[in-house]
Amino acid sequence: MAKVFAKNLSNKQVMATDGTELGVLNNIVMENKTGELEDLIIKPDIGLDTSKYQKDGQYIIVSFDAVSAIKDYIVVDKIMAKSLAHNSL
């Protein structure tokens, strides 16, 4: 994946590979020692069923491993995002 500045990700729309709009990126979790990106913290769209996603308060958490592209949207693999959430619970 090409380099992307964090400031360019702020408030970027997050979409699943099937076209479902998940919400807006609120924050990113990074491993302090390695700098590796771990999770996206997303403010979900009002109509999104969040029951199958890992949650933290009003936000859903999607592993950065589920990210497949970053362009106009952050695109995540929906199946991978849900399965990673269940594995981490």
Side-chain angles (χ1 to χ4, degrees):
M1 198 175 305
K3 292 182 181 181
V4 178
F5 290 105
K7 68 179 181 178
N8 294 337
L9 298 177
S10 178
N11 295 316
K12 192 170 275 283
Q13 191 72 27
V14 181
M15 179 182 286
T17 48
D18 69 353
T20 303
E21 290 195 13
L22 301 181
V24 176
L25 182 66
N26 179 266
N27 212 340
I28 299 173
V29 177
M30 180 183 78
E31 165 46 54
N32 195 31
K33 291 181 182 176
T34 64
E36 186 174 331
L37 300 180
E38 294 184 346
D39 297 310
L40 303 177
I41 310 299
I42 302 167
K43 181 170 175 120
D45 279 349
I46 294 171
L48 181 69
D49 176 10
T50 61
S51 64
K52 298 205 180 346
Y53 293 93
Q54 183 180 354
K55 289 178 261 194
D56 183 8
Q58 65 182 8
Y59 300 101
I60 60 173
I61 300 171
V62 173
S63 173
F64 192 77
D65 291 338
V67 174
S68 60
I70 301 175
K71 297 216 181 204
D72 293 335
Y73 289 87
I74 298 172
V75 181
V76 297
D77 182 293
K78 187 174 185 177
I79 295 169
M80 189 175 181
K82 287 180 179 180
S83 67
L84 290 171
H86 289 294
N87 290 337
S88 65
L89 296 178

